[in-house]
Amino acid sequence: MLPWKRALRPLAALLLAAAAATVPATAAHADSTATASSSGWNDYRCKPSAAHPRPVVLVHGTFGNSVDNWLALAPYLTVRGYCVFSVDYGQLPGVPLFNGLGPIDKSAAQLSAFVDKVLAATGAGEADLVGHSQGGLMPRYYLKFLGGAAKVNALVGIAPDNHGTTLSGLANLLPYFPGAQDLLSAATPGLADQVAGSAFLTKLNAGGDTVAGVRYTVIATKYDEVVTPWRTQYLSGSDVHNVLLQDLCPVDISEHVAIGLLDRIAFHEVANALDPAHATATTCASVFS
C-alpha cells in the first residue's frame, strides 16, 4: 500500500466515526428541520433563490448514510446559497448506520419519493442531484425508469460505479467502515447489483447511459481503488461532462472515499456543475475557495 493511502485511511475512519456518533441524535429528527439546522442543511423551510433556483439532493454511497457522507460537502454548498438536502436509502432490517445495501431499484424508488418531498417543500420544479459512489449510479435508474428525468436538471456523480466494479473493489471500502465486514455474511443485494455484468447494470445501461433533458457530470480520480478501472466511471452521451480530478490538480491524491468526503477541489467542480453559467476554473488553488 502506498504511504499516502495508509495515511488517508485513519483520517477517513476518524471522520466517519465522528459522523456515527452524531447519527443517533440526528435520526430522531429525520423529518424535521433539526438535522444540521445551524448550517441550513436539511432545512425544509429553505426556499431556493433566483441565483440557485433548484434544491440540491445529496445521495450517499454504499455503507454510507445521509450524515456521514456529507459532513464537508453539505456545508460547502449551503454557505454558497443552495438549499441542500440529503437522503437515506437502501437500509437493511436490523442494520443501523450502514445504508445503500438494499436492491438498487428499490433504493431508486426511495430517492423518487424523497425528491418529491423536497420539491413540494421548496416549491421548485426541478432538483439537482449529487451522488458519491453508488449515489452517483443509483439515481440513473430513477432518471431512466421512474420518471425522474422530468424532475431533475442535473446529476453529478463523484466516483460513481456507472459500469460496475468487482467484489474485491467493493471490499476495499470495508476498512473505512468499522463493523461493515460483518455485513458481508448477510444478504446484500445492493452490493451484487454493483458487480460488473450484473443483471441490474445490464438493464440500466442498455440503450445508452443517459436520458434526454438531464445534464450529467462525472468526477473521477485515477487513484480510485474501489471502482476500477477508473475510466469505467465515465458516461457516454450528448450532455455529459467527464472530468479526471488529476487533470484539474495533478498533485491531488484523493482516492474513492476522500474524493467524496473531504476534497475541496472536487467540491469546486461540483459547484461548477451545479451552476455552469458562473463556473470558474478548478485548480489546485480551489482547495482554498
Side-chain angles (χ1 to χ4, degrees), residues 225-242:
E225 79 285 30
V226 175
V227 185
T228 57
W230 62 262
R231 289 179 180 82
T232 62
Q233 299 175 31
Y234 283 175
L235 294 171
S236 297
S238 59
D239 203 356
V240 172
H241 178 53
N242 295 312

PDB file of all heavy atoms in Angstrom, residues 225-242:
ATOM      1  N   GLU A 225      -9.506   3.021  -5.816  1.00  0.00           N
ATOM      2  CA  GLU A 225      -9.193   1.610  -5.592  1.00  0.00           C
ATOM      3  C   GLU A 225     -10.450   0.756  -5.475  1.00  0.00           C
ATOM      4  O   GLU A 225     -10.371  -0.463  -5.303  1.00  0.00           O
ATOM      5  CB  GLU A 225      -8.337   1.452  -4.322  1.00  0.00           C
ATOM      6  CG  GLU A 225      -9.093   1.520  -3.006  1.00  0.00           C
ATOM      7  CD  GLU A 225      -9.537   2.899  -2.570  1.00  0.00           C
ATOM      8  OE1 GLU A 225      -9.808   3.764  -3.428  1.00  0.00           O
ATOM      9  OE2 GLU A 225      -9.647   3.104  -1.348  1.00  0.00           O
ATOM     10  N   VAL A 226     -11.620   1.401  -5.582  1.00  0.00           N
ATOM     11  CA  VAL A 226     -12.893   0.689  -5.455  1.00  0.00           C
ATOM     12  C   VAL A 226     -13.539   0.476  -6.819  1.00  0.00           C
ATOM     13  O   VAL A 226     -13.932  -0.643  -7.166  1.00  0.00           O
ATOM     14  CB  VAL A 226     -13.847   1.463  -4.524  1.00  0.00           C
ATOM     15  CG1 VAL A 226     -15.220   0.795  -4.479  1.00  0.00           C
ATOM     16  CG2 VAL A 226     -13.259   1.543  -3.119  1.00  0.00           C
ATOM     17  N   VAL A 227     -13.662   1.539  -7.598  1.00  0.00           N
ATOM     18  CA  VAL A 227     -14.233   1.432  -8.939  1.00  0.00           C
ATOM     19  C   VAL A 227     -13.079   1.400  -9.931  1.00  0.00           C
ATOM     20  O   VAL A 227     -12.471   2.429 -10.232  1.00  0.00           O
ATOM     21  CB  VAL A 227     -15.172   2.606  -9.238  1.00  0.00           C
ATOM     22  CG1 VAL A 227     -15.847   2.399 -10.606  1.00  0.00           C
ATOM     23  CG2 VAL A 227     -16.227   2.730  -8.149  1.00  0.00           C
ATOM     24  N   THR A 228     -12.779   0.224 -10.403  1.00  0.00           N
ATOM     25  CA  THR A 228     -11.628   0.035 -11.279  1.00  0.00           C
ATOM     26  C   THR A 228     -12.031  -0.750 -12.523  1.00  0.00           C
ATOM     27  O   THR A 228     -12.895  -1.628 -12.445  1.00  0.00           O
ATOM     28  CB  THR A 228     -10.510  -0.721 -10.537  1.00  0.00           C
ATOM     29  OG1 THR A 228     -11.027  -1.961 -10.057  1.00  0.00           O
ATOM     30  CG2 THR A 228      -9.983   0.082  -9.366  1.00  0.00           C
ATOM     31  N   PRO A 229     -11.418  -0.461 -13.677  1.00  0.00           N
ATOM     32  CA  PRO A 229     -10.574   0.700 -13.952  1.00  0.00           C
ATOM     33  C   PRO A 229     -11.377   1.999 -13.789  1.00  0.00           C
ATOM     34  O   PRO A 229     -12.577   2.013 -14.056  1.00  0.00           O
ATOM     35  CB  PRO A 229     -10.133   0.506 -15.399  1.00  0.00           C
ATOM     36  CG  PRO A 229     -10.419  -0.925 -15.727  1.00  0.00           C
ATOM     37  CD  PRO A 229     -11.575  -1.322 -14.883  1.00  0.00           C
ATOM     38  N   TRP A 230     -10.712   3.070 -13.395  1.00  0.00           N
ATOM     39  CA  TRP A 230     -11.437   4.285 -13.077  1.00  0.00           C
ATOM     40  C   TRP A 230     -12.184   4.842 -14.283  1.00  0.00           C
ATOM     41  O   TRP A 230     -13.210   5.510 -14.124  1.00  0.00           O
ATOM     42  CB  TRP A 230     -10.509   5.340 -12.473  1.00  0.00           C
ATOM     43  CG  TRP A 230      -9.390   5.810 -13.346  1.00  0.00           C
ATOM     44  CD1 TRP A 230      -8.095   5.383 -13.319  1.00  0.00           C
ATOM     45  CD2 TRP A 230      -9.454   6.820 -14.363  1.00  0.00           C
ATOM     46  NE1 TRP A 230      -7.344   6.051 -14.262  1.00  0.00           N
ATOM     47  CE2 TRP A 230      -8.153   6.937 -14.913  1.00  0.00           C
ATOM     48  CE3 TRP A 230     -10.462   7.636 -14.869  1.00  0.00           C
ATOM     49  CZ2 TRP A 230      -7.848   7.830 -15.939  1.00  0.00           C
ATOM     50  CZ3 TRP A 230     -10.168   8.530 -15.896  1.00  0.00           C
ATOM     51  CH2 TRP A 230      -8.869   8.611 -16.412  1.00  0.00           C
ATOM     52  N   ARG A 231     -11.722   4.557 -15.484  1.00  0.00           N
ATOM     53  CA  ARG A 231     -12.397   5.092 -16.669  1.00  0.00           C
ATOM     54  C   ARG A 231     -13.794   4.510 -16.854  1.00  0.00           C
ATOM     55  O   ARG A 231     -14.611   5.088 -17.593  1.00  0.00           O
ATOM     56  CB  ARG A 231     -11.547   4.819 -17.918  1.00  0.00           C
ATOM     57  CG  ARG A 231     -10.279   5.666 -17.993  1.00  0.00           C
ATOM     58  CD  ARG A 231      -9.462   5.343 -19.238  1.00  0.00           C
ATOM     59  NE  ARG A 231      -8.244   6.138 -19.327  1.00  0.00           N
ATOM     60  CZ  ARG A 231      -7.121   5.856 -18.694  1.00  0.00           C
ATOM     61  NH1 ARG A 231      -7.065   4.789 -17.898  1.00  0.00           N
ATOM     62  NH2 ARG A 231      -6.060   6.625 -18.817  1.00  0.00           N
ATOM     63  N   THR A 232     -14.088   3.396 -16.203  1.00  0.00           N
ATOM     64  CA  THR A 232     -15.433   2.820 -16.330  1.00  0.00           C
ATOM     65  C   THR A 232     -16.476   3.685 -15.625  1.00  0.00           C
ATOM     66  O   THR A 232     -17.682   3.470 -15.796  1.00  0.00           O
ATOM     67  CB  THR A 232     -15.487   1.395 -15.755  1.00  0.00           C
ATOM     68  OG1 THR A 232     -15.170   1.430 -14.348  1.00  0.00           O
ATOM     69  CG2 THR A 232     -14.506   0.484 -16.462  1.00  0.00           C
ATOM     70  N   GLN A 233     -16.038   4.668 -14.866  1.00  0.00           N
ATOM     71  CA  GLN A 233     -16.973   5.589 -14.224  1.00  0.00           C
ATOM     72  C   GLN A 233     -17.599   6.539 -15.240  1.00  0.00           C
ATOM     73  O   GLN A 233     -18.713   7.037 -15.028  1.00  0.00           O
ATOM     74  CB  GLN A 233     -16.252   6.401 -13.144  1.00  0.00           C
ATOM     75  CG  GLN A 233     -15.657   5.549 -12.033  1.00  0.00           C
ATOM     76  CD  GLN A 233     -14.840   6.365 -11.051  1.00  0.00           C
ATOM     77  OE1 GLN A 233     -15.129   7.530 -10.813  1.00  0.00           O
ATOM     78  NE2 GLN A 233     -13.803   5.765 -10.487  1.00  0.00           N
ATOM     79  N   TYR A 234     -16.900   6.794 -16.318  1.00  0.00           N
ATOM     80  CA  TYR A 234     -17.350   7.770 -17.294  1.00  0.00           C
ATOM     81  C   TYR A 234     -18.632   7.328 -17.993  1.00  0.00           C
ATOM     82  O   TYR A 234     -18.890   6.144 -18.179  1.00  0.00           O
ATOM     83  CB  TYR A 234     -16.269   8.000 -18.337  1.00  0.00           C
ATOM     84  CG  TYR A 234     -15.115   8.863 -17.890  1.00  0.00           C
ATOM     85  CD1 TYR A 234     -14.016   9.072 -18.716  1.00  0.00           C
ATOM     86  CD2 TYR A 234     -15.112   9.493 -16.645  1.00  0.00           C
ATOM     87  CE1 TYR A 234     -12.946   9.869 -18.331  1.00  0.00           C
ATOM     88  CE2 TYR A 234     -14.046  10.287 -16.247  1.00  0.00           C
ATOM     89  CZ  TYR A 234     -12.971  10.465 -17.100  1.00  0.00           C
ATOM     90  OH  TYR A 234     -11.915  11.264 -16.711  1.00  0.00           O
ATOM     91  N   LEU A 235     -19.422   8.324 -18.383  1.00  0.00           N
ATOM     92  CA  LEU A 235     -20.647   8.095 -19.139  1.00  0.00           C
ATOM     93  C   LEU A 235     -20.459   8.545 -20.582  1.00  0.00           C
ATOM     94  O   LEU A 235     -19.630   9.410 -20.882  1.00  0.00           O
ATOM     95  CB  LEU A 235     -21.801   8.886 -18.513  1.00  0.00           C
ATOM     96  CG  LEU A 235     -22.253   8.467 -17.108  1.00  0.00           C
ATOM     97  CD1 LEU A 235     -23.247   9.478 -16.553  1.00  0.00           C
ATOM     98  CD2 LEU A 235     -22.842   7.069 -17.113  1.00  0.00           C
ATOM     99  N   SER A 236     -21.276   7.981 -21.451  1.00  0.00           N
ATOM    100  CA  SER A 236     -21.316   8.405 -22.847  1.00  0.00           C
ATOM    101  C   SER A 236     -22.679   9.038 -23.111  1.00  0.00           C
ATOM    102  O   SER A 236     -23.705   8.529 -22.661  1.00  0.00           O
ATOM    103  CB  SER A 236     -21.111   7.213 -23.786  1.00  0.00           C
ATOM    104  OG  SER A 236     -19.835   6.635 -23.600  1.00  0.00           O
ATOM    105  N   GLY A 237     -22.683  10.133 -23.835  1.00  0.00           N
ATOM    106  CA  GLY A 237     -23.935  10.804 -24.151  1.00  0.00           C
ATOM    107  C   GLY A 237     -23.695  12.209 -24.629  1.00  0.00           C
ATOM    108  O   GLY A 237     -22.576  12.741 -24.535  1.00  0.00           O
ATOM    109  N   SER A 238     -24.759  12.844 -25.128  1.00  0.00           N
ATOM    110  CA  SER A 238     -24.621  14.166 -25.735  1.00  0.00           C
ATOM    111  C   SER A 238     -24.488  15.285 -24.715  1.00  0.00           C
ATOM    112  O   SER A 238     -23.982  16.357 -25.040  1.00  0.00           O
ATOM    113  CB  SER A 238     -25.820  14.446 -26.642  1.00  0.00           C
ATOM    114  OG  SER A 238     -27.032  14.397 -25.904  1.00  0.00           O
ATOM    115  N   ASP A 239     -24.950  15.069 -23.500  1.00  0.00           N
ATOM    116  CA  ASP A 239     -24.890  16.126 -22.484  1.00  0.00           C
ATOM    117  C   ASP A 239     -24.148  15.611 -21.252  1.00  0.00           C
ATOM    118  O   ASP A 239     -24.669  15.617 -20.137  1.00  0.00           O
ATOM    119  CB  ASP A 239     -26.297  16.590 -22.113  1.00  0.00           C
ATOM    120  CG  ASP A 239     -26.309  18.006 -21.530  1.00  0.00           C
ATOM    121  OD1 ASP A 239     -25.208  18.575 -21.348  1.00  0.00           O
ATOM    122  OD2 ASP A 239     -27.396  18.534 -21.264  1.00  0.00           O
ATOM    123  N   VAL A 240     -22.914  15.155 -21.487  1.00  0.00           N
ATOM    124  CA  VAL A 240     -22.087  14.557 -20.440  1.00  0.00           C
ATOM    125  C   VAL A 240     -20.766  15.299 -20.356  1.00  0.00           C
ATOM    126  O   VAL A 240     -20.142  15.611 -21.374  1.00  0.00           O
ATOM    127  CB  VAL A 240     -21.822  13.065 -20.731  1.00  0.00           C
ATOM    128  CG1 VAL A 240     -20.804  12.495 -19.737  1.00  0.00           C
ATOM    129  CG2 VAL A 240     -23.111  12.263 -20.668  1.00  0.00           C
ATOM    130  N   HIS A 241     -20.356  15.576 -19.123  1.00  0.00           N
ATOM    131  CA  HIS A 241     -19.027  16.148 -18.879  1.00  0.00           C
ATOM    132  C   HIS A 241     -18.285  15.205 -17.952  1.00  0.00           C
ATOM    133  O   HIS A 241     -18.623  15.087 -16.770  1.00  0.00           O
ATOM    134  CB  HIS A 241     -19.146  17.535 -18.249  1.00  0.00           C
ATOM    135  CG  HIS A 241     -17.839  18.178 -17.911  1.00  0.00           C
ATOM    136  ND1 HIS A 241     -16.809  18.336 -18.830  1.00  0.00           N
ATOM    137  CD2 HIS A 241     -17.375  18.724 -16.754  1.00  0.00           C
ATOM    138  CE1 HIS A 241     -15.786  18.930 -18.256  1.00  0.00           C
ATOM    139  NE2 HIS A 241     -16.096  19.178 -16.996  1.00  0.00           N
ATOM    140  N   ASN A 242     -17.295  14.506 -18.493  1.00  0.00           N
ATOM    141  CA  ASN A 242     -16.452  13.612 -17.712  1.00  0.00           C
ATOM    142  C   ASN A 242     -15.153  14.329 -17.377  1.00  0.00           C
ATOM    143  O   ASN A 242     -14.516  14.915 -18.252  1.00  0.00           O
ATOM    144  CB  ASN A 242     -16.127  12.339 -18.496  1.00  0.00           C
ATOM    145  CG  ASN A 242     -17.346  11.489 -18.773  1.00  0.00           C
ATOM    146  OD1 ASN A 242     -18.137  11.221 -17.875  1.00  0.00           O
ATOM    147  ND2 ASN A 242     -17.505  11.047 -20.016  1.00  0.00           N
TER     148      ASN A 242
END
